[in-house]
Structure formats: structure tokens, C-alpha cells
Amino acid sequence: MVAFGHIALKDLHAELVDEGGNPIPLYETYLHHWVVIKYYARIGAEEISELVDTLSLNNSDYISGRNDGICQDDVNGQFFGSGSKTRVPDPYGIELDNPAELPSGFEEKWLINVHAIDTRGVVDKLGCAECRCNLYNVSKDALGRPLSADYNGGSSCCYEGTQCRLKQGFEGIKRSVYLKYTVKWVDMDTSILPVEYEIEPCSATGSGWAYEGCIDTKRVRLDMPFSGYMLFGNGHQHVGGTASALYREDGRVMCSSKPIYGKGEEVGNKAGYVVGISSCYPEPGTMKISRGETLILEFNYSSIKRHTGVMGLFAIFVVDRLPKPMPFLDTVAHDQVSF
């Protein structure tokens, strides 16, 4: 996927659809997550087609275009995404394809990684969506490395080509699915904090893993590598998630993000599934983060019953400076819908 020239991205939304462009219900194909990865390819080199191929970024024909956030090195190299709608408030935008930043002889490209799980006819829809290893009958990960004995569920058990256990006699109809994405941009930073872990069920006696109200809480402390102003924040959680939040070191809440659960039977509102998540849009200039400041990321999951392979991601957009006051100008926004 090639970028659109020197632009400022304003909005990106994606959903799974069938051959006719019709939305696919989560209870038929579970969209675990999708992410967009930016990279630079030497002009004439082949495009990277799959996330596993990002190993090719060590090749001299490719250069990673990862974000500038807290998580670096081999951790979470996506540019933006994680499965939620991305909207950038005015007057800001995510700059793409800046000629001044292009390495000589390279062009900017995107890779979209989609993790979709077919749950039609399976014996346990929630278990399949949580990638429980006993339902996938795998003992090695996608790279052929043996799984540890205490790894009960997660993305290492439900990679491309694996199949969750089906009900006896079920024969599904072969179907192609597509990621339909809508991009909005105008002509002319994200920081992602990831976690994947397992939630043990709390006991009736309140011992062991039990927390008040059967809530399992995970926290991580990270130091901000630069200073700036936060424009946007939201989390990414799966079924069982109750809330995520970003705090300052003194305990003040910077952003609280909560999953939205469906309440009906229709597409986009299926009961029992996370169909959305709330976001934060602080007034520009009111949420300053200093270089070296310690931020605390917290994720809460219900531990009434066991959950495997859950995710705790949190994205924030940060700008290093505020715009100068200027006369109002009409800006033309462009839309592109693609499959």
C-alpha cells in the first residue's frame, strides 16, 4: 500500500466486509486487531506483503518508519492503528511522505496487518477469539519455535493458517473477507504502549489472584522521551476489559478510555463483544508532558472468569509545539475508501 504524497492524515477507520462490501458481524469473523506500519522501500524493491515479512526490514532494501514514541527497538513498531478509529483534531495532522525525510533512493509505503479469526461453527467462540491454544491444537508459534508449557493462549497460537476447533460435522462455506478502510487527509506523534497477557479467574474466597470486585489490574511505568502536548488518547482491550487509563506520576488522570460492549444482535452491536472504545481529546495546549516525565499506564480486566491473549495497548498523539494564531482558512479534506 503506497502513501498518498506529502499529506496530513486526519482520519482513518477500518472494518471487515465480504465480497459485496457488506459488514461482517464480529460473531462470524472476529477482528482481533489491525495495525498500519510505515516503512521505506528502495525504489524498485518488492512490497512487503505480510507482518512476518517485517523481518525483511533488516534488509538493505527496507527501512522501518516506526513511530517516535516510548516503545522502541523491537517493541510494537506500528505507526498507528490497533483496531480503533483514528481521528486527529484540527489544526493537527499526521504528516506522511515528507520529501525532506525520505532516504535517498527510497519511497514511503504502508503495510496493513489484519488479525481476523473465523468463528463460524466453532465449539467456543470466545475461546477462539482469545486464541486459547487447546482449541487451536498447536505446539509451535508462527516461526516454528516451541510454545512454553505455561502459555495457554495468545497470538502465538492463532497465527495465519491455524484453525480453531469446529463442531462435529460443520462444513462452512468458503468466504473471502476484506479490510475496508476510509482515509481522510488534507494536503500539506504517536506513542503506543503494548501488553499481552493472561487473566486468571479470581477465587470466591478473595485469595490468590482475586482483586476487589474481581478486577485484575496491570500497570507499567514509562519515561517520556520528549516533551509536547497530548492531543488524543485511547486504549485497546478485548472482551473482559473494563477500563484503561494513563496517569501522571502523582496520580492525576490524563486520559481514561473504556470499552463499549454491544447490547443487541445486529452487526456492530452484538451483545458480549467489544464494539468500540472511548477516546480522549483534551483541549490543545492543556495537557503538557515534559521530557523525562514518568507516565503510568493501567489496564483493568474482569477476572470473574479466565481470559487468555488479552491486549492492553494505549495510543497517544503528541505535538512538540502549538500553532500560532492565524486567520481562518477553508481546508479541503480528501476521502479515499479502499479494500
Side-chain angles (χ1 to χ4, degrees):
M1 174 179 167
V2 182
F4 306 97
H6 193 195
I7 61 172
L9 186 144
K10 299 293 294 180
D11 201 337
L12 178 61
H13 175 69
E15 62 177 335
L16 283 182
V17 297
D18 61 18
E19 296 93 331
N22 303 302
I24 296 177
L26 284 170
Y27 52 85
E28 291 187 2
T29 302
Y30 184 71
L31 182 57
H32 192 275
H33 67 268
W34 58 269
V35 294
V36 176
I37 297 173
K38 185 180 75 171
Y39 68 99
Y40 303 106
R42 191 180 300 278
I43 295 175
E46 294 183 6
E47 290 192 15
I48 297 176
S49 59
E50 299 178 13
L51 187 60
V52 175
D53 288 348
T54 54
L55 296 174
S56 302
L57 290 178
N58 295 322
N59 187 302
S60 61
D61 287 337
Y62 308 99
I63 301 173
S64 173
R66 63 174 306 124
N67 61 64
D68 297 320
I70 295 174
C71 298
Q72 293 296 321
D73 299 322
D74 295 325
V75 180
N76 202 51
Q78 77 235 40
F79 189 51
F80 51 86
S82 79
S84 59
K85 182 176 181 178
T86 299
R87 179 176 64 84
V88 184
D90 292 330
Y92 303 98
I94 299 176
E95 186 180 28
L96 298 173
D97 218 2
N98 183 349
E101 296 181 356
L102 273 177
S104 178
F106 285 74
E107 56 185 338
E108 181 176 304
K109 294 191 176 184
W110 292 358
L111 165 69
I112 296 185
N113 171 252
V114 181
H115 187 183
I117 302 172
D118 189 350
T119 58
R120 294 174 299 165
V122 298
V123 297
D124 183 349
K125 287 184 179 291
L126 178 59
C128 292
E130 292 189 341
C131 299
R132 296 179 190 167
C133 299
N134 65 313
L135 294 174
Y136 283 86
N137 193 31
V138 298
S139 58
K140 298 180 180 180
D141 66 14
L143 298 177
R145 298 171 299 193
L147 299 172
S148 62
D150 60 350
Y151 188 82
N152 298 303
S155 57
S156 293
C157 287
C158 60
Y159 46 88
E160 183 175 0
T162 57
Q163 171 66 61
C164 198
R165 187 184 306 159
L166 298 174
K167 295 177 182 177
Q168 186 70 30
F170 176 80
E171 293 185 10
I173 299 174
K174 187 175 180 179
R175 178 174 67 182
S176 297
V177 297
Y178 303 85
L179 187 76
K180 175 184 177 182
Y181 59 90
T182 303
V183 180
K184 295 184 179 181
W185 76 91
V186 294
D187 293 323
M188 346 202 53
D189 287 337
T190 59
S191 295
I192 311 295
L193 317 178
V195 185
E196 182 185 76
Y197 54 98
E198 181 175 334
I199 305 300
E200 293 289 349
C202 63
S203 67
T205 60
S207 61
W209 278 81
Y211 291 78
E212 183 178 355
C214 283
I215 296 296
D216 180 273
T217 299
K218 293 289 188 296
R219 282 191 167 200
V220 62
R221 300 163 66 92
L222 296 159
D223 295 331
M224 193 68 180
F226 51 84
S227 61
Y229 300 89
M230 190 174 86
L231 299 178
F232 162 84
N234 84 335
H236 176 77
Q237 292 185 282
H238 288 235
V239 172
T242 60
S244 58
L246 186 67
Y247 297 91
R248 294 192 186 277
E249 191 170 15
D250 61 9
R252 287 180 292 166
V253 178
M254 301 177 67
C255 177
S256 178
S257 181
K258 295 184 178 182
I260 301 167
Y261 286 86
K263 299 180 180 180
E265 293 295 327
E266 64 273 20
V267 176
N269 191 38
K270 175 64 175 177
Y273 286 84
V274 176
V275 297
I277 195 159
S278 63
S279 302
C280 303
Y281 287 94
E283 186 71 22
T286 62
M287 190 70 71
K288 185 175 181 179
I289 307 175
S290 300
R291 180 179 181 179
E293 180 177 356
T294 299
L295 304 181
I296 301 171
L297 177 62
E298 178 182 284
F299 284 92
N300 295 319
Y301 269 84
S302 168
S303 56
I304 293 176
K305 61 181 180 179
R306 187 186 204 181
H307 295 284
T308 62
V310 302
M311 300 183 73
L313 274 73
F314 208 96
I316 59 174
F317 290 178
V318 177
V319 294
D320 58 2
R321 60 186 180 275
L322 298 174
K324 296 179 180 179
M326 58 186 300
F328 177 78
L329 297 175
D330 289 331
T331 304
V332 178
H334 309 273
D335 291 9
Q336 176 164 321
V337 181
S338 303
F339 293 86

